[in-house]
Amino acid sequence: MKRVIFLSLLVAVFVFSGFTTVYAAGKVLHIYEAFDTEEAKYYIDAFEKETGIDVVFVRMSSGEVLARVEAEAANPQATVWHAGSNTSHINAASKGLLEPYKPKTSFPLSDSLHAKDWAWTGFYSGAIGFVSNTNILKKKGANAPTSWDDLLNPAFSKNVAMAYPYTSGTAYTTYATLIQMHGLEKTLDWWEKFDKQSILQYTKSGTGCIPMAGLGEVAVGIAFSHDILAKGVNKGYPVVMTFPKEGTGYEIGGLSLIKGGPEPELGKQFIDWCFTKKAQNLFQKYNRLPVNPEATVGKGSVTLDQVKLIDYDHIWAGQNKGEMIKAWRDRIGK
Amino acid sequence: MTEANRKRQEIIGNLRLIWKEPLLLVFIIAIFYFLLIFVLFPLFMVFKTSLIVDKQFDLSNYLAIFSKRYYFQPFINSMILGVLAATAGTILGFVFAYAITRTPIPFKRFFRMTATFPIISPPFVVALAAILLFGRAGSLTPFLSRIIGEYSIYGLGGLVLVETIAYGPIAFLVLYGVLQAIDPALEEAAMDLGASRARVFATVTLPLSIPGIASAWLLVFIESMADFGNPMILSGNFRVLSVQAFLQITGMYDISRGSTLAILLLVPTVTAFFIQKYWVARKSYVTVTGQPTGATIQRLEWYIKLPTYAACFFFTGVVFLFYGMVIWGSFQKLWGVDATLTLHNYVEMFQVGKGYIFDSLKVSTWATPITGLLGMFIAFLVIRKKFIGRTTMEFVSMLTFAVPGTVVGIGYILAFNQKSALFPFVLTGTAWIIVTLLIFRNMPVGIRAGIAALQQIDPSIEEASTDLGADSSKTFRKITLPMIAPAFFSGLAFSFVKAMTAISAIIFVVSGDWNLITVAILGFVDNSQYAQAAAMSLLLIVIVLIALSIIQLLVGRIGKGARTVSIVN
């Protein structure tokens, strides 16, 4: 019995020593990160080196970030939400989870690159495109798709992958693009066919289909051009990138300050830094399109004036996401 | 004395016993408090959240689930997967256990080791290997598709395959224990009386092991239904509930409906747990008479030997193939495209994942001793002490085994992201939310180890030592400790393994300061960076193996020749 008491005291000491250390952490900037870990580290290391501020980040999809920020609203754990389609940022702003902040920039930010009240700002952009495996194209004797309807080509039967529109900003942008072009009903009719004929599987993350196409798991994937270049073409996968001739949608990468976050001053400093020429030049490595006009565009990158874009309404897409997703799930059943 | 009177007398007696040991009372209350906070409160929060929409009581979540195909289908899919994997896993486990306990198969130790190996690796490594082998760009795919035509590893078939490999070993461990406990003399007797081998099997061996088979089936059912890592990677269009609940929350930002899906997942697993614990476990026909006789039957017909041996060799081959593939894949430059061998993946893995590796090690090292000690203490209370609420304590602390990780994870973020009247600390974002989750999730392991340890000690042995002149401290050192230690340390070993390889609940509570290696691996897989994922999985397995050898060494030092305990119920 004595021993048992001794052991339990040990447990108690363990537990309480733990609780005290938790509250003795140093001052750092906490970021919720929607870039992939590797890419995020590339930017954040540069920021840390330049400013001497320590950053701690956790990588999640933009959907996960939003869920986390919402769950933690009573006690926010991070200050900055870095990257992810602005659609999710717009959604968060409409729930009052973000702190408006107008970043100090050396150039004027156009209206499409920020919320009216500056709850979020856009710091890069990129268009939706198709990524196709050249070996499979050759084997099937098909051309890389250059139109949305090419995706229904029997050669691509059960050979297309993309993310779930409800888990990925990329896939939702694709869906919202089609709705803005054809209206909801027509889009769902088309998608039903597309889902039955062509889709092999939906992935969780928007970029998941790129290596799938690269590996020949599928013939075609649908993703953002910068991701296709960075994760497909530049990695050495046998893939080509094409765009739909009818027009395509594009994303604006969002950046925002979380309401009630623990380090607002450091957070503002980070957001300002993201718009500097130096920071925007870093996008070359990952083929994202910078918004700072002085920054250099990455080699091979497709700028937004080289593809046919639709007049994509980000605000509409963000504000109607819940309803549009519900319609999609009700019809497609997935 | 009437029945009611006697009951009252007993309760008063128990109260008096407790009253004599006030410190014990304090500990009992403390443990109840911890169980309330860390086991029941999170569950309650999930339940509550599922019933509240826009801050009002609302049943619409439940109505939606039964009226929408995309919610209900995953439930059916999960059930199908659970049933198929449990059946396949149990058959596999039985064949293996039978071969090792009943046939003179060579290399028994070796077979036993390979059969249990998947338990110490993170479960989703099996899915990763399946993609490397059988994915469209897989190494065996060109060969296999020539034989069986075009197929897809993504979906039900692939999932049943990986779940069977990942959780079949649990069935093996259960059935190994059961078959070992059935005295071969019974079978010998039947044979001496003229029964054929098949008849002995059908009328003696099988009926005696039915409760064990049912137990194994239910355990594999629970595990594969609740599994998150494998379906996350491999489910394709075959959507299962654990993943859907996760996506509902992280993709749809809908915690309320995600909680509802989680509750839906909870129902079958907890039911299976109840059946296993309160019905099957009581029907055990095995009479424990002490040591098994160890006599194996040598008179074996070829038609028994051949298929059992073949099955053993085949499964062992599969295990080697799967894990060998992970090693092979981890050295390739660009998986599927450029097979040049390189160490680059390991370099990149360390650069990106150093923090994850240390975080995983830290939280597991903190959680493990607490899991072990707390488990031992609860086992001690439940077995040796009488107090009101004893069965409740046992039930609640074992319950965590049956609650799917997804539900626990959601519960923890809901319960600990703000201060509450019950618990005035915010745990979200700290290491402690991970550590407490690991402690209470793995506690059944600690308790099992504790119960096993205490059952090995007959109080009369300690009395004998005292009678021979040793004082109580010497008795504890020389008698009690060596007898408890092996079981205690095997419990520790297994909780460490579980902590290092946990994913389903953990994925909800990781944070910027504290992120874990399993989450990082899943991130690599999600990105189709299979080579890096393989490298990191391998590192994790190596760490676990090193930790296990250290513990094995300690056990060897302290308790010579003592048996290790079974690590599942």
Side-chain angles (χ1 to χ4, degrees), chain A residues 4 18 22 30 36 56 63-64 66-68 71-72 75 77 159 164 166 200 204 211 215 217 321 329-330, chain B residues 68 70 136-137 154 232 237 239 248-253 335 377 417 426 428 432 510 512-513 526-528:
Chain A
V4 176
V22 163
H30 289 79
D36 286 328
V56 166
E64 285 169 271
L66 180 45
R68 187 67 83 85
E72 290 171 354
N75 177 37
Q77 294 295 308
N159 234 330
Y164 287 111
Y166 57 92
L200 174 75
K204 183 187 149 238
L215 289 168
E217 301 260 333
K321 183 164 181 182
R329 294 194 79 179
D330 281 344
Chain B
K68 302 271 190 214
Y70 51 86
R136 284 200 178 172
Y154 299 95
M232 186 70 211
N237 281 336
R239 296 165 314 113
Q248 189 75 27
I249 290 175
T250 60
M252 299 278 287
Y253 334 130
W335 171 256
F377 191 59
N417 63 7
V426 174
T428 308
W432 284 99
V510 291
D513 295 302
D526 198 38
N527 242 322
S528 300

Side-chain angles (χ1 to χ4, degrees), chain A residues 27 44 86 170 190 238 264 281 284:
Chain A
K27 190 96 175 143
I44 285 172
N86 62 345
T170 311
W190 180 87
N281 271 336
Q284 285 175 73

Side-chain angles (χ1 to χ4, degrees), chain A residues 1 3-5 7-8 10-11 14-15 18-19 21-23 30 36-38 41 56-58 61 63-64 66-68 70-72 74-75 77 88 91 95 158-159 164 166-167 200-202 204-205 207-208 211-212 214-218 231 235-238 321 325-326 329-334, chain B residues 21 23-24 27 34 68-71 131 135-137 152 154 232 236-237 239 244 246-253 255 334-337 348 351-352 356 366 369-370 373-374 377 380 385 417-418 423 425-432 473 476 507-513 515 526-530:
Chain A
M1 185 60 212
R3 306 283 152 173
V4 176
I5 291 170
L7 292 183
S8 346
L10 212 65
V11 172
F14 250 111
V15 171
F19 280 124
T21 51
V22 163
Y23 290 99
H30 289 79
D36 286 328
T37 310
E38 181 196 331
K41 257 184 85 64
V56 166
F57 72 89
V58 58
S61 74
E64 285 169 271
L66 180 45
R68 187 67 83 85
E70 197 177 355
E72 290 171 354
N75 177 37
Q77 294 295 308
S88 312
N91 205 318
K95 291 180 176 177
K158 293 286 163 208
N159 234 330
Y164 287 111
Y166 57 92
T167 61
L200 174 75
Q201 100 176 79
Y202 295 96
K204 183 187 149 238
S205 86
T207 57
M212 277 183 84
L215 289 168
E217 301 260 333
V218 290
K231 292 178 181 188
K235 286 242 161 160
Y237 286 120
K321 183 164 181 182
I325 290 292
K326 189 171 172 302
R329 294 194 79 179
D330 281 344
R331 181 71 83 83
I332 308 299
K334 283 182 175 162
Chain B
E21 298 183 81
L23 200 57
L24 189 68
F27 278 119
F34 282 134
K68 302 271 190 214
R69 181 163 56 108
Y70 51 86
Y71 291 130
I131 294 179
R136 284 200 178 172
S152 169
Y154 299 95
M232 186 70 211
N237 281 336
R239 296 165 314 113
Q244 285 304 307
F246 174 75
L247 293 181
Q248 189 75 27
I249 290 175
T250 60
M252 299 278 287
Y253 334 130
I255 295 185
L334 181 60
W335 171 256
V337 174
E348 187 176 322
Q351 279 167 353
V352 176
Y356 301 136
W366 293 337
I370 305 179
L373 293 176
L374 203 60
F377 191 59
F380 172 79
K385 296 284 156 186
N417 63 7
Q418 68 232 327
F423 190 71
F425 298 98
V426 174
L427 293 187
T428 308
T430 69
W432 284 99
S473 115
F476 185 83
I507 198 162
F508 289 94
V509 295
V510 291
S511 56
D513 295 302
N515 209 334
D526 198 38
N527 242 322
S528 300
Q529 291 174 290
Y530 297 128

Side-chain angles (χ1 to χ4, degrees), chain A residues 12 42 86 150 198 222 231 233 237-238 260 264 283 324:
Chain A
Y42 180 67
N86 62 345
D150 282 353
S198 307
I222 305 173
K231 292 178 181 188
V233 179
Y237 286 120
F283 282 139
M324 293 302 118

Side-chain angles (χ1 to χ4, degrees), chain A residues 110-132:
Chain A
S110 65
D111 282 351
S112 65
L113 286 177
H114 65 86
K116 268 212 182 77
D117 66 350
W118 296 91
W120 56 270
T121 38
F123 71 123
Y124 68 84
S125 61
I128 292 279
F130 305 137
V131 52
S132 314

